[in-house]
Amino acid sequence: MKLRAAIFAVGVLSLAIYTGLGFRASQVDEPLYPSPSLSKIVRLSEYDSRLRGTRADTDVYEFGEPDGGATILVLGGTHCDEPASYIAAYLLLENIEMERGRMLIVPRTNRSAMSHKTIGEAHPPTFDIPLPNGVRPFRMGSRYTNPLDQWPDPEVFVHSPSGQELSGADSRNLNRSYPGAANGNFTGQIAFAITELVKQEHVDLVIDLHEASPEYPVINAIVAHERAMDCASMAVLDLQLEGLEFALEPSPANFRGLSHRELGDHTLTHATLMESANVSQGRLRGKTNADLVVSGLDSMYVRAAKINMTRVPYDEKGIPLKVRVGRHIAGFHKLISAFSQLNPDRAAAFTGIPTYDELQQHDLGIYLDPHDHP
Amino acid sequence: MIRHWSLALLLFAASVQAADFKTPVLLTSGGQSADPQMIKTLLTRENIPFTYEPLATSAMLAGQGALIIVLGGSSKGLGAAKVSAEQETARITELLKSAAEQKITVLAVHVGGKNRRGALSDEFNKLGANMADEIVVVVGGDDDGLFKGIAESRKVPYSSAAKIADLGGILRAKFAPAQPTQE
Ligand SMILES: [Zn+2]
């Protein structure tokens, strides 16, 4: 009897240690290695002091100097189960060399969402990107703010100030919470801080990076606020000329809380958002693991595509992370060059960022190798 | 960079009379999708003078050399513009009838591929194609030959482009300052 109790106790204890270590690991930011063009790192709490010391306080990496060129803001990791969004942001901040203008990069925009995973999704805690020598692990997070930071969810989430009603869980969805409020809930405070950042730094162009499941209608797309439509449509045409199909989607006027809608309406910025196709978010996917996140290959989606259930071309090649990151990087290039052509006095210029083709040739690891950063 | 526009083009109905396009251009939507925005960008790039009004009526035709209507319906777009499908149909009909009366050449363009086919879109697609002087479709939007069929039965020129970006060359050829004595 005592032996059984002891075995049971040891079992429970090891389980507690195992899950405890997993929890601890999920709270640790993986190191990032900003390019030498970095001018400073500030915390998001600079724009809303209530975030200071919380799980949502996050780094804002600034490259270049105020020199009359455009100020551009890249948001990665708004939804932390959309890996191409934050891996693209990491790649940008580790490689960019600003020549004109300022680049602000927030790679973990909802840092709280990076610290846990959505229940029931079976997402892996981490996935590895192969480097020339070895691998580099990255966390996978959740679409939502960690419930440890904001709980419980209301029955109905009422967006402020519009009064739009969404499901309760969306109260923890950063991209339904813009423009946010100083006295709002925790997620609304993150949104508020980003809105303040855009205002105080006079951000000219916002590029919010996302992914969505292959059956979602807005996919392989650039979504743009009215003010950004000229810039975005020029970018879409340029991308087409290089063989990358993007759809231009106008920001819906009466769908509130989204970054492109609210940052466009509440600030003077040109607000855009990009979506790539990520099977590990899809409802039709089969086995979910780290391989799926990186390879983007799921046999269920191959079958789904054959019966026209996907909104993007999908076959046995899958849609690997390097393609999804490559599309974000290509869109980044073209949005900035379009903005610069349309606003020559505020033009921005940079080097160090691969083209889509270079990224496909060399793979992600070449651009994410910490050994390149002494 | 060399762009082989001619390779991207498939010209049909070579025997039909070529429409006469003049500038400035009035650019409008037929169904309130965002697709005209792409044509707006192409016209800007090609330095073709134009006015863009998604809800244009005959009142705006005065002084225009041609009308480009970009076909394809968007329920979101109609909602945002606060017009019903019926009101949009009525506006398009009034505009295109007036253009015909005033002998203003109408180019109907469809760039939205499969997403701009289907019940809502096809109402505008058929309406526009049936009243246009020429039809251009980006590949993917005419897999069933709807537009081509209408063009053939009405004996108006029809062409298709491999992608939206290729329309730049088509628009340039139609609207750029005419070469002397082309005809
Ligand atoms: Zn997202």
Side-chain angles (χ1 to χ4, degrees), chain B residues 80-124:
Chain B
K82 298 192 170 68
V83 294
S84 67
E86 293 72 33
Q87 287 168 318
E88 180 72 346
T89 301
R91 180 188 68 83
I92 298 168
T93 309
E94 190 266 350
L95 176 67
L96 296 183
K97 271 192 180 152
S98 176
E101 282 162 19
Q102 298 181 49
K103 305 232 177 331
I104 293 172
T105 317
V106 177
L107 176 66
V109 182
H110 186 278
V111 301
K114 283 192 187 69
N115 286 343
R116 297 278 179 256
R117 292 295 313 275
L120 176 72
S121 284
D122 279 353
E123 186 182 331
F124 308 121

Side-chain angles (χ1 to χ4, degrees), chain A residues 108-141:
Chain A
R108 302 177 184 111
T109 305
N110 189 350
R111 182 164 163 267
S112 168
M114 190 65 99
S115 68
H116 75 126
K117 290 181 286 130
T118 314
I119 290 169
E121 291 287 349
H123 284 149
T126 60
F127 57 90
D128 289 338
I129 291 183
L131 300 179
N133 296 301
V135 296
R136 183 168 167 188
F138 294 95
R139 282 176 299 168
M140 179 135 181

Side-chain angles (χ1 to χ4, degrees), chain B residues 2 18 46 65 78 111 114 121 128-129 140 159 161:
Chain B
I2 300 163
E46 300 295 339
L78 288 166
V111 301
K114 283 192 187 69
S121 284
S159 54

Side-chain angles (χ1 to χ4, degrees), chain A residues 47-206:
Chain A
Y47 303 94
D48 180 3
S49 59
R50 282 162 315 157
L51 292 179
R52 193 160 297 142
T54 71
R55 231 185 301 264
D57 201 1
T58 191
D59 289 333
V60 180
Y61 295 79
E62 181 171 334
F63 300 83
E65 305 291 339
D67 58 3
T71 297
I72 296 154
L73 172 66
V74 175
L75 300 175
T78 290
H79 295 142
C80 295
D81 56 351
E82 299 171 7
S85 111
Y86 51 90
I87 298 295
Y90 297 170
L91 188 152
L92 290 172
L93 78 87
E94 295 194 356
N95 294 277
I96 198 152
E97 302 288 336
M98 286 312 285
E99 293 187 334
R100 183 157 192 261
R102 275 198 313 160
M103 184 68 57
L104 307 173
I105 301 178
V106 190
R108 302 177 184 111
T109 305
N110 189 350
R111 182 164 163 267
S112 168
M114 190 65 99
S115 68
H116 75 126
K117 290 181 286 130
T118 314
I119 290 169
E121 291 287 349
H123 284 149
T126 60
F127 57 90
D128 289 338
I129 291 183
L131 300 179
N133 296 301
V135 296
R136 183 168 167 188
F138 294 95
R139 282 176 299 168
M140 179 135 181
S142 167
R143 181 176 182 80
Y144 302 105
T145 299
N146 193 326
L148 290 172
D149 294 318
Q150 186 183 317
W151 189 85
D153 290 341
E155 285 290 315
V156 174
F157 166 49
V158 182
H159 172 259
S160 171
S162 71
Q164 167 184 274
E165 294 185 349
L166 289 173
S167 79
D170 275 327
S171 68
R172 288 182 289 119
N173 182 344
L174 177 56
N175 205 25
R176 299 293 180 275
S177 300
Y178 288 100
N183 57 354
N185 65 23
F186 188 76
T187 309
Q189 288 171 21
I190 305 171
F192 178 75
I194 296 288
T195 308
E196 280 300 300
L197 185 161
V198 171
K199 282 183 188 164
Q200 291 177 29
E201 303 300 331
H202 305 285
V203 172
D204 297 289
L205 173 64
V206 174

